[in-house]
Amino acid sequence: MANYEGVATMYLQMPMAAQKLPLLGACTVQEKKISLRFPLSNVSFDLPEAPQAGGRDMEFKMSGATGDMTLNISWKADLQAFVGQGKQQGASVLNFVFYKPDSPLKHLKAL
């Protein structure tokens, strides 16, 4: 069973701010189910397939309350981790990285 953990960032657009504000969260993957947890919201969805080290990149669309989001997930061999990004209307709204629980990247949670 493929289980991973990691960190995630959601970029929030505030009505009175010109810049998007980053919100740090956590990421977990169990088989094909990914969960991104943030202080103000949670996002969970099924991946097209379970992530595999050295496997092919995944790109898929997900419908949400504010429109479609395109998600890309790829294996980064130098990190021994997966890196993902969610974009809406060409702008990044989510970034996340997940890895095996025994990875040294687990220290990123202390950010």
Side-chain angles (χ1 to χ4, degrees):
M1 180 153 78
N3 290 318
Y4 300 96
E5 60 185 46
V7 295
T9 304
M10 175 187 288
Y11 299 96
L12 298 176
Q13 182 68 48
M14 302 302 286
M16 303 233 186
Q19 302 291 332
K20 289 187 176 187
L21 302 174
L23 187 61
L24 186 62
C27 173
T28 57
V29 178
Q30 294 181 334
E31 287 299 319
K32 290 174 38 174
K33 179 93 168 170
I34 185 167
S35 297
L36 306 173
R37 291 177 313 284
F38 300 97
L40 302 175
S41 67
N42 296 319
V43 179
S44 294
F45 51 90
D46 289 329
L47 299 170
E49 60 190 62
Q52 295 179 9
R56 64 183 178 91
D57 293 354
M58 287 185 253
E59 180 175 312
F60 55 99
K61 289 194 186 287
M62 188 176 102
S63 294
T66 58
D68 287 345
M69 178 172 28
T70 301
L71 288 138
N72 293 294
I73 299 174
S74 59
W75 171 252
K76 301 296 183 192
D78 54 341
L79 291 175
Q80 293 292 298
F82 294 89
V83 175
Q85 181 178 49
K87 286 188 169 187
Q88 277 184 317
Q89 301 171 355
S92 182
V93 293
L94 289 173
N95 287 313
F96 51 93
V97 60
F98 57 90
Y99 39 81
K100 294 276 188 187
D102 61 348
S103 169
L105 293 176
K106 66 186 175 192
H107 298 291
L108 289 173
K109 291 181 187 178
L111 291 175

